[in-house]
Structures are given as C-alpha cells and as structure tokens.
Amino acid sequence: MFRIRTAVAAAAVATIAALAVAAPASAHDELVASTPAADAQLTAAPAELSLTFSNNLLSLDENSGTAITVVDATGEDWVDGEPVIQADSVTVPLAEGMPNGDYAVTWQVVSSDGHPTSGEYSFSLAAAEASATPSATPSETADEQPEPAETTQPAQQADSMQWPLLIGLGVVVLAAIVIVIVIAARRKR
C-alpha cells in the first residue's frame, strides 16, 4: 500500500513539474496596439504601419523572423521597405497611392522568449477622391469594388501553435508515469 501511494505521489509531482516547466513557454508577447488600428476606417492613406507589443522584441539580424504585409483586395502588398524594430515596436513604411478598399495586415515577430508569434487584422481606406478627376463609368466602378480578403483568425493560429506543446507535455507525463511504475515494480522484488 505504501508503494502505491509513493508511486501516485511521484506521478503527481512529475505532472506538476511538467506543467510548471511548460507554462512559461506558452506565454508569448501579445500585440497591444497598432497604427492603423484594427478595424479602423481611414480617410487618408497611412505613410507607415506600426505595431506595439507587450514586451521588447528580439532582433537578431536581418533574418530575424520579423515580417509584415499590408495586402489589398487584389493581393498587392503595400509595404515599401524593411521592418524596423525598436524595443517593443516594429514599423514599416507603406507605398504611396494606396487605393480605397480593405487591407489585410499580417505580422510575424520573435517574442522576448525567443519564439515566433504572429497574427493579423484588417483596416479600410475610404479617402476622398479629387474633384478634378472625371467621374468613372459604371463598369469602372464595378472593377474597383474590393473583394473581402480571406483571413485566418488569430485564435486559430494560437491553437495550432499550442498542439506541439500539449503533445510534448503528454509525452513527459506518460514517461514520468512509466518510470514511477518501473521503479515501484523493481522495489517489490
């Protein structure tokens, strides 16, 4: 009876230790602010896009894993330069001449814990058109209507990143239980 309690206690300790080790690994830095903001409806095209995170970002070299796209409904990316990381913020310049419509922003950065984290959001642009421009024909305006951009929900991305962690945690717990059972069986002999 004593050996069974010892085995159960050891399994519990191993499980708690595995959970304690895995908990910090699942906490990545989060996006806390953006300019333009998510779901913003702008009346003038922005000159740059800026993202602010909950902690300083890692910037190891040119290939640091930081990437940002600002894509319109036709699939054109309006980022016009390399991302610049400063502490907890990353900024990219945007090209001039952005047309009215919806824009999908996707980003990937390296968190302060060294793990990549990513997400996306959207904003729209409805700038006033110049009055000197001749009015468009109905067929031209039909061509200008943006189609909704396909987006993946950030929650789905976070869920897909947690599966390897959960599988690894399960393997650690299973291995701890097997070790405890083997030790208990050897002590019985």
Side-chain angles (χ1 to χ4, degrees), residues 13-97:
V13 168
T15 302
I16 291 170
L19 290 173
V21 169
S26 65
H28 298 296
D29 300 335
E30 297 178 358
L31 180 66
V32 295
S34 62
T35 304
D39 301 321
Q41 297 179 353
L42 306 177
T43 57
E48 65 181 20
L49 180 122
S50 180
L51 305 173
T52 303
F53 293 86
S54 59
N55 206 340
N56 289 347
L57 301 173
L58 291 185
S59 176
L60 307 173
D61 58 25
E62 290 178 16
N63 301 319
S64 68
T66 300
I68 298 176
T69 61
V70 179
V71 179
D72 65 16
T74 66
E76 184 173 349
D77 186 0
W78 289 87
V79 171
D80 192 28
E82 294 298 317
V84 176
I85 298 173
Q86 292 181 326
D88 63 348
S89 297
V90 60
T91 304
V92 292
L94 299 176
E96 293 182 11

